[in-house]
Amino acid sequence: MQTYYLLTYYTKKIAIFLLNLPFRKRKMTDSQQFITGFTNKQKVIGVIGLGYVGLPIALELAKKFKVIGFDINQKRVDMMKNHIDPSNELTKDAFVGCDIEFTADTEILKQATFFIVAVPTPVDEHNVPDLKPLVGASNTIGKVIKKDDYVVFESTVYPGCTEDDCVPIIENVSGLKFRDDFKIGYSPERINPGDTLHTLTKITKIVSGCDDESLENIAAIYGSIIEPGVYKAASIKVAEAAKVIENTQRDLNIALMNELSQVFNLMNINTYDVLEAAGTKWNFLKFQPGLVGGHCIGVDPYYLTYKSNQLGYKPQIILSGRNINDGMPNYIAKKVVQYLLKKGKNPSQCRALIMGATFKENVTDIRNSKVFNLYKELKDFQLDVEMVDALADAHEVYEEYNVELKSTATGKYDVVVVAVSHDAYKQLDENYFVNLTNEDAILVDIKNMYKSKISKLEYWTL
C-alpha cells in the first residue's frame, strides 16, 4: 500500500512538471540571441553589389530586417530607389514592404554589422579569374567594418579565395584581426536569371563560417528567408568548391551533347531525335547542345582550373569540356559557310541575320553571351551580319560589344540563325522566315524550336 501511495505521489509531481513545461521560460540559443538584434532592427545588414544576385537577397532580407543596399553605380542606385530593377528580373512589387535604403555612400554603409558581398567574378580575355570587383568590395568592407562584424561572400570564386585573398585585404585596410575581431563566411549564390520556379527563397542554400559560432549565426540569418532551409558546409573551402563544381558539372554535360551533335551530324542523324529516344530511360540526364555563355556555366570552371594549375595539376576533362563549348560558335559558322557554298553562293556576297543576343532565353542579360562570338565568326567569313533581339537593350549591346542591335529585321537574308529561344520567337512560323529570306536560304535553328515545321527552307540544327 505504501508503494502505491509513493507511485501516485510522484506520478502527480511528474504530471504537474510536464504540464507546466510549455510555460517555462527557455533560454535562447546563441544564434537566436545573435539574430534578435537584427529582428528588432537594432542591427543592420549591408548588401554590397546589387545585380542579379545582390538585389534579390537584399529585398528578401529587407522583408524581415533593416537593410542597406550598396552599389558603386549611382545610376543603378537611383533606379532602385524608384523601385526599378536595372537587371529587369524583378517587378516593382518586389520592392514593396521592404525596409531598405539604397546608396552608393560608404558612410551610410558603416551602419551595417553584417555584410553580404555579391559582386561579379568574371574571367578576362585569357580566361583568367578577374578579381577586381571582389578586391574592390573587400577594400570597401575594410573601410566600414567594425569589431564583432560579420562578412559573408556570395561571389563565385576558387576554393581558398575568401580566406587567402579577401580576408588579408580586409585586415590590412581595417587594422582588425580575422576571427578575433571579425568573422567571415561564404554562401554561394544560386540565382538563375529568368527562372521563376527556382527562386532564391525556394531552394536550399549552402552556408559556411570560419568557426562553429559564425556558422550557426550565418545559418540563422539565411535560414530566416530560405523556405527549404540551409545546408551547413564543413568549411568555407568546401562551400566555395561546391559552387564551382555545380556549374562545372553542367558545363561538362553540355559539352558532351555538343560533341555528340557534331558526331551525329556526320552520320546524318538528328541529335534531338537521339536525345528524345535516350531520354526514355529513367536515369538519362536530359541535357541539350547549344551555346554556353553567361556569367556562371561558361565562367566558373575556369576558376577551378586556375587554382588547380597553381597547385601543379593540369585538369584535362574540365578544360576539354570548355574547349568544346567555347568552340561551338566557330563550328556553327563553318556549317553556315558550307551550306552557302553548297548552294553555289559566295559568303562574302551573302547577308545573315542572327535572332537573339542574350546569353539565354527570356532574359535581358548579355554578359558573356556566345552569340556575339558567333557574330564575329560569321563576320570573319566575310558575311554581312545583322542582329536583332526581342529583349536585349541596344545601347548596352553597343557599349559592351560594339555591335549595332537592329530594332527589326530588314531582309532579305541568305542565312537566318535563331540563336536564342525567346518566347517571342517560338510563335513564329515558316512563312515568317520565307518572307525574310532570298531564294535557297538557310534557317539555322540552334535551339531546335522549329523541328518538323520547316519544309520550304534549308533547315539545320545542332
Side-chain angles (χ1 to χ4, degrees), residues 115-400:
F115 300 92
I116 295 174
V117 179
V119 296
T121 45
V123 293
D124 64 18
E125 65 273 17
H126 304 295
N127 294 321
V128 175
D130 180 4
L131 296 180
K132 287 195 291 290
L134 198 59
V135 169
S138 298
N139 271 291
T140 298
I141 291 289
K143 295 173 184 176
V144 300
I145 197 171
K146 304 167 293 300
K147 186 173 173 57
D148 298 328
D149 284 358
Y150 274 65
V151 185
V152 181
F153 289 88
E154 293 222 0
S155 307
T156 301
V157 292
Y158 46 77
C161 182
T162 300
E163 293 160 291
D164 299 340
D165 297 298
C166 299
V167 167
I169 295 173
I170 297 172
E171 285 184 318
N172 290 336
V173 176
S174 68
L176 300 176
K177 189 175 180 181
F178 176 43
R179 287 194 178 90
D180 291 343
D181 298 324
F182 66 94
K183 299 291 180 74
I184 291 288
Y186 183 80
S187 180
E189 59 90 2
R190 280 178 167 170
I191 298 293
N192 186 25
D195 190 338
T196 57
L197 179 62
H198 304 99
T199 53
L200 171 66
T201 60
K202 304 295 184 184
I203 56 176
T204 302
K205 200 162 194 331
I206 297 173
V207 296
S208 64
C210 59
D211 55 25
D212 292 340
E213 179 187 41
S214 62
L215 175 61
E216 294 302 320
N217 290 339
I218 291 168
I221 293 289
Y222 280 104
S224 67
I225 63 169
I226 305 298
E227 293 176 17
V230 298
Y231 176 85
K232 299 174 185 176
S235 69
I236 289 175
K237 285 185 179 180
V238 166
E240 291 169 326
K243 169 58 182 175
V244 172
I245 70 164
E246 286 176 12
N247 286 320
T248 300
Q249 183 186 67
R250 286 182 56 78
D251 190 45
L252 287 171
N253 277 297
I254 298 171
L256 174 61
M257 298 301 107
N258 279 331
E259 186 165 61
L260 288 175
S261 73
Q262 296 181 46
V263 172
F264 293 144
N265 189 262
L266 294 172
M267 299 176 178
N268 293 317
I269 302 173
N270 184 286
T271 305
Y272 287 90
D273 285 343
V274 177
L275 295 179
E276 186 177 343
T280 59
K281 188 179 180 185
W282 71 92
N283 61 351
F284 184 81
L285 302 179
K286 296 185 179 181
F287 288 89
Q288 296 181 345
L291 298 173
V292 183
H295 53 93
C296 288
I297 299 178
V299 172
D300 294 1
Y302 287 121
Y303 274 78
L304 186 57
T305 58
Y306 170 80
K307 191 63 177 180
S308 178
N309 280 318
Q310 277 192 333
L311 297 172
Y313 179 81
K314 186 174 181 179
Q316 298 178 54
I317 294 177
I318 299 172
L319 288 175
S320 178
R322 280 281 72 234
N323 289 335
I324 291 172
N325 288 339
D326 280 348
M328 289 305 290
N330 178 261
Y331 169 71
I332 294 169
K334 284 182 177 178
K335 293 298 296 185
V336 167
V337 171
Q338 287 173 8
Y339 272 99
L340 289 173
L341 292 173
K342 238 185 245 186
K343 297 285 186 181
K345 295 188 176 187
N346 184 343
S348 65
Q349 297 174 354
C350 293
R351 298 184 72 224
L353 174 68
I354 297 178
M355 297 176 62
T358 58
F359 87 91
K360 65 180 289 189
E361 66 278 1
N362 301 323
V363 300
T364 62
D365 195 349
I366 59 172
R367 286 179 296 170
N368 194 35
S369 171
K370 295 303 177 183
V371 180
F372 293 96
N373 296 68
L374 176 58
Y375 176 93
K376 182 180 181 302
E377 294 285 353
L378 291 173
K379 294 282 285 185
D380 287 345
F381 281 115
Q382 305 303 309
L383 276 79
D384 178 13
V385 187
E386 290 184 354
M387 183 183 286
V388 296
D389 189 279
L391 298 174
D393 181 85
H395 178 71
E396 288 184 8
V397 168
Y398 189 79
E399 287 290 312
E400 183 72 21

Side-chain angles (χ1 to χ4, degrees), residues 40-104:
N40 61 27
K41 301 193 177 182
Q42 292 178 348
K43 292 184 178 182
V44 181
I45 296 173
V47 180
I48 299 174
L50 300 174
Y52 281 88
V53 176
L55 182 58
I57 293 168
L59 292 178
E60 285 298 334
L61 289 169
K63 292 176 182 178
K64 294 195 173 187
F65 312 115
K66 181 174 176 58
V67 176
I68 295 171
F70 177 87
D71 198 287
I72 59 174
N73 189 322
Q74 185 63 55
K75 181 181 177 181
R76 291 176 62 87
V77 169
D78 292 339
M79 291 176 69
M80 287 179 278
K81 284 181 177 180
N82 290 310
H83 293 187
I84 299 171
D85 175 11
S87 301
N88 297 310
E89 284 289 306
L90 305 175
T91 65
K92 288 196 173 188
D93 291 342
F95 293 79
V96 176
C98 296
D99 187 357
I100 186 167
E101 179 180 4
F102 296 107
T103 184

